[in-house]
Amino acid sequence: MFEKVVVANRGAAAARIIRALDDLGVKSVALYSEADENAPYLAEAGEAHCIGRAAPAESYLDQDAILDVVKRTAADGLHPGYGFLAENHEFAARVEASGCRFIGPAPRWLEAMGHKTRARDMMKEHGMPMGSSSDVLRDDEAALAAAEEIGFPVLIKPAGGGGGIGMLPARDGEQLVKMLKRARSMAERSFGTAEVYLERLLEQPRHIEFQMVADEHGNARHLFERDCSVQRRHQKVIEEAPAPALAREAVVRPADSAAGILTRMGYNNIGTIETLYDGDGGFNFLEMNTRLQVEHGVTEEITGIDIVAAQMKSAYGYRLDDIMPENVEVSGHSIQARVYAEDPIKFLPSPGPLHVFRPPHGDGIRVDTGFAEGGTITPYYDPLIAKVIVHAGDRNGAVRKLGDALDEFEIEGIKTNIPFIQETLKNESFVSGAVHTGLAEEVVASLKA
Amino acid sequence: MAEERVRSEMTGKVWKIIASVGDEVSDGDEIMILESMKMEIPVMVDTDGTIKEFLVGEGDEVTEDQEIAVLEV
């Protein structure tokens, strides 16, 4: 196993990876920006190094600063977590060139899946089902022509990256031209390229994704699905596994087929295939994330597999049979709520001090966080402050447990989205399992009422 | 002529001012973009008027409810 691994991330991701390294008996090297110097997980790492100022570009995105720590600490592995540089193929290649293992898929996979329209073309060739979409749009005229062909409403998406960032809907030509300008500007800023493309906007689809685990020897399997339909501003808020109100074979079949595709492609390490499920229309490929997912915890809870450990073992060269059992079974139901520092109705960021921060405890309750009481939620990074993950025998039990856990969660000093989550847990469609990506709007309407 | 103050709905930083002093704006127009926690939040005016003054500049930190621009309505 690795001797020493650099954790190139912050917050809950860093805390989670440091814990996994500890469980594996691997030394950990934490990195932090000046804004995170008091983060509680730094004390749990073997060593911690400051890599620069608060702004991400001057610390967590500063490749030279991170590679310098790799060199100075003589680490033999680097775990990128999620976000920041996790899907940057140039960075991954630089890490590997320095003689340190990048704990993730090979740089060529980061590159191939990173460009969203090229990834779609590649996956389509391998037989992955797709909804209708356009190529990268040259100009407004091409966009209007493509939209006519796909049919309104359409969704403008950045080609250079995913994660729900920079997507804008358009219902007609006039709106399309107006939104394109903004979408290009957001794409340029978030992903360094103004390239955008169109996809058909489905009205009430479900977001269902498949967790894949592969080794370096041509084997790939899945760890079932997660339903992440409850989203606000295209960012996930509640994720669960297994997907509610769907026959098991209806989900397992596309998961098996996805594993087959990755095996044929020779994909390595872990990844997530995201799809939109449209009832009769089936599962249509959205994108593949070549990294650990924020919501990996719900899969860990229902399968008993430590996905971060599996990722390290795969990167170290273990065969899939030595990483996890061949027949993994689903046990019970798990739901994760992302607690964000934000206004629960307007969803606007609410950074500030954590005067009180007391996470819930109990059987079947897990809280992944990178914060502690007395800390500060700064405006520099994403608004996630904690992931509350529950596991119970069935979905109703899990919904109840999550509600109780969130009731117990004491946070003072900032606004959080807990009232929004609690309202969602009471929403009739959610309770019945009839989830869809437009659910958040219904919940906000009932919160305002 | 009456004045109306535009306030920031959140704590963050002014990323870009996209309108200019003297511009005539109408309800729903975006005049600047704030950023916080990796999100860009446009500031929209909720009335018709003319921009008289910006009380903040690009790169400035703003807090929730802070006055950021003045409109003549």
Side-chain angles (χ1 to χ4, degrees):
Chain A
M1 198 15 79
F2 294 104
E3 286 279 322
K4 194 191 259 190
V5 169
V6 169
V7 181
N9 214 292
R10 62 178 298 281
R16 169 75 186 89
I17 297 158
I18 291 166
R19 202 179 73 223
L21 289 168
D22 204 38
D23 289 347
L24 289 167
V26 178
K27 292 186 199 114
S28 56
V29 179
L31 305 179
Y32 63 97
S33 73
E34 286 171 7
D36 286 333
E37 63 183 356
N38 295 316
Y41 52 84
L42 298 178
E44 282 158 42
E47 49 189 298
H49 297 262
C50 182
I51 48 164
R53 292 151 60 93
E58 294 174 48
S59 47
Y60 300 107
L61 292 174
D62 185 341
Q63 301 188 17
D64 293 333
I66 296 170
L67 285 162
D68 184 52
V69 175
V70 169
K71 200 174 154 194
R72 275 192 285 139
T73 58
D76 57 348
L78 177 140
H79 196 304
Y82 40 74
F84 297 118
L85 295 166
E87 290 167 291
N88 185 312
H89 66 91
E90 282 155 9
F91 176 66
R94 287 184 71 189
V95 172
E96 298 263 301
S98 79
C100 174
R101 196 62 236 280
F102 179 83
I103 300 172
R108 70 185 174 108
W109 292 120
L110 306 190
E111 185 173 13
M113 297 300 177
H115 192 280
K116 300 305 167 185
T117 57
R118 272 181 244 145
R120 290 175 71 85
D121 291 344
M122 180 173 64
M123 296 303 265
K124 196 174 177 180
E125 262 174 46
H126 281 91
M128 186 75 73
M130 298 281 157
S132 47
S133 67
S134 75
D135 288 328
V136 170
L137 304 167
R138 280 190 323 274
D139 48 31
D140 289 357
E141 263 168 50
L144 287 166
E148 283 306 324
E149 204 180 308
I150 294 168
F152 283 104
V154 292
L155 191 61
I156 311 168
K157 299 180 79 172
I165 295 162
M167 307 202 301
L168 293 171
R171 306 206 165 264
D172 55 45
E174 196 189 329
Q175 207 180 20
L176 177 61
V177 172
K178 198 175 159 193
M179 291 299 186
L180 267 174
K181 208 175 145 202
R182 186 134 136 241
R184 287 186 197 283
S185 142
M186 281 159 71
E188 168 90 59
R189 204 160 164 250
S190 302
F191 304 111
T193 161
E195 289 184 343
V196 296
Y197 68 103
L198 300 182
E199 242 174 53
R200 172 139 180 94
L201 176 69
L202 300 172
E203 291 295 350
Q204 292 201 329
R206 289 173 67 168
H207 176 115
I208 294 177
E209 59 186 30
F210 302 101
Q211 175 68 56
M212 316 307 295
V213 182
D215 65 17
E216 318 240 303
H217 312 282
N219 306 296
R221 286 185 213 143
H222 66 81
L223 285 176
F224 308 100
E225 82 287 4
R226 293 181 285 261
D227 187 307
C228 315
S229 298
V230 181
Q231 311 183 349
R232 59 102 180 95
R233 219 187 282 119
H234 304 296
Q235 299 285 319
K236 298 161 187 170
V237 182
I238 296 176
E239 295 111 329
E240 57 185 306
L246 276 181
R248 288 313 297 155
E249 65 268 23
V251 192
V252 171
R253 217 181 310 117
D256 285 340
S257 137
I261 289 173
L262 291 193
T263 301
R264 287 195 295 281
M265 285 168 50
Y267 185 84
N268 72 309
N269 210 262
I270 67 166
T272 295
I273 291 180
E274 297 195 330
T275 73
L276 279 185
Y277 176 74
D278 183 22
D280 298 340
F283 297 84
N284 287 313
F285 179 76
L286 261 185
E287 63 180 37
M288 179 162 189
N289 294 328
T290 48
R291 54 165 166 85
L292 183 69
Q293 210 81 350
V294 180
E295 59 274 24
H296 70 280
V298 293
T299 301
E300 294 183 326
E301 295 300 316
I302 62 156
T303 60
I305 307 284
D306 181 329
I307 294 175
V308 183
Q311 192 180 11
M312 311 243 205
K313 287 177 182 169
S314 172
Y316 198 71
Y318 282 48
R319 301 190 80 87
L320 205 45
D321 284 334
D322 300 318
I323 293 173
M324 59 191 219
E326 194 178 345
N327 289 308
V328 176
E329 289 192 18
V330 171
S331 157
H333 197 95
S334 178
I335 311 181
Q336 163 174 293
R338 298 193 194 189
V339 178
Y340 288 126
E342 68 181 17
D343 181 284
I345 292 178
K346 293 190 283 187
F347 302 136
L348 291 176
S350 173
L354 284 174
H355 293 312
V356 175
F357 185 75
R358 288 168 205 154
H361 294 279
D363 195 31
I365 299 173
R366 160 178 164 189
V367 179
D368 284 9
T369 180
F371 293 100
E373 192 162 288
T376 301
I377 310 293
T378 66
Y380 306 109
Y381 314 111
D382 75 56
L384 182 70
I385 47 181
K387 302 186 261 183
V388 179
I389 305 160
V390 297
H391 185 216
D394 60 22
R395 186 170 187 266
N396 288 339
V399 171
R400 270 198 308 276
K401 190 171 275 189
L402 182 56
D404 292 346
L406 291 169
D407 271 343
E408 263 181 54
F409 205 156
E410 292 179 59
I411 304 177
E412 285 173 27
I414 53 160
K415 287 189 265 187
T416 77
N417 65 336
I418 288 179
F420 168 80
I421 302 166
Q422 292 286 36
E423 191 70 18
T424 306
L425 299 182
K426 285 184 257 168
N427 177 284
E428 216 171 285
S429 302
F430 182 83
V431 171
S432 70
V435 290
H436 59 83
T437 56
L439 198 67
E441 281 156 43
E442 284 176 25
V443 172
V444 167
S446 61
L447 259 183
K448 281 182 178 164
Chain B
M1 215 176 247
E3 271 185 13
E4 180 156 314
R5 310 226 147 199
V6 181
R7 290 168 190 274
S8 169
E9 280 195 293
M10 65 166 201
T11 297
K13 205 170 169 180
V14 179
W15 175 51
K16 227 179 195 174
I17 295 182
I18 49 183
S20 310
V21 170
D23 281 3
E24 283 181 29
V25 291
S26 43
D27 187 1
D29 281 357
E30 295 176 5
I31 58 167
M32 69 172 82
I33 300 172
L34 304 181
E35 72 170 339
S36 185
M37 297 179 146
K38 296 192 346 188
M39 269 180 267
E40 289 171 21
I41 312 284
V43 175
M44 285 177 274
V45 295
D46 56 5
T47 175
D48 297 354
T50 306
I51 298 178
K52 188 183 174 196
E53 189 185 357
F54 284 105
L55 304 172
V56 292
E58 289 183 0
D60 286 358
E61 313 260 339
V62 294
T63 54
E64 190 175 339
D65 219 32
Q66 182 180 333
E67 294 176 352
I68 52 179
V70 184
L71 292 186
E72 261 175 4
V73 296

